[in-house]
Amino acid sequence: MEKTIINTTNAPAPIGPYSQAVRAGALLFISGQIAINPANGNIEAADVIGEAHQVMHNLKTILTEAGMDFGNVVKTTIYLSDMALFTMVNEVYGKYFHGEFPARENVAVKGLPKNVNVEISMIAAG
């Protein structure tokens, strides 16, 4: 199976030894994205709602680079710094999908990179 690395300057550069996304056959695996503004590398969101929108924007640009959109997403994983943030993040997340939603899980974790509150990874098929 052929493997292709997907990278775009419209999403944050990886902050470790990983790729933004990897296409393997018809599947696209997108690494977890946090609320980094790709234009300057900073986290500018004032709250978890702003973070969630920036994360979804970053994911959208990676999907676009791969020739896909949120309609291709089949699975997501949402990592939260606190389950009390679930409702706010869920509301933002839901605005980016139309019709059928992908499978997903939400996990509360002890900490996330750069002390953010939300990180989301995706698997898309196309």
Side-chain angles (χ1 to χ4, degrees):
M1 174 177 8
E2 185 177 329
K3 179 173 87 169
T4 304
I5 303 300
I6 306 292
N7 281 307
T8 175
T9 57
N10 295 321
I15 56 176
Y18 61 89
S19 299
Q20 289 173 339
V22 176
R23 184 189 299 268
L27 296 176
L28 180 70
F29 298 87
I30 303 176
S31 295
Q33 296 296 304
I34 61 174
I36 294 174
N37 179 337
N40 59 25
N42 296 325
I43 297 175
E44 299 171 342
D47 57 24
V48 72
I49 292 171
E51 281 189 41
H53 278 295
Q54 183 65 58
V55 168
M56 295 303 286
H57 173 76
N58 293 343
L59 290 162
K60 179 181 179 181
T61 62
I62 296 168
L63 286 164
T64 300
E65 183 70 19
M68 296 183 181
D69 60 31
F70 287 114
N72 294 98
V73 177
V74 296
K75 173 83 168 49
T76 65
T77 302
I78 300 176
Y79 302 95
L80 299 171
S81 63
D82 186 325
M83 243 347 152
L85 303 172
F86 175 84
T87 302
M88 291 179 282
V89 172
N90 197 50
E91 185 175 323
V92 172
Y93 171 93
K95 292 178 181 178
Y96 287 83
F97 294 94
H98 305 287
E100 298 177 352
F101 293 100
R104 87 169 190 208
E105 63 264 339
N106 293 291
V107 182
V109 296
K110 184 175 180 179
L112 290 166
K114 298 192 176 270
N115 294 316
V116 296
N117 293 297
V118 61
E119 178 175 359
I120 302 175
S121 64
M122 293 183 162
I123 300 172

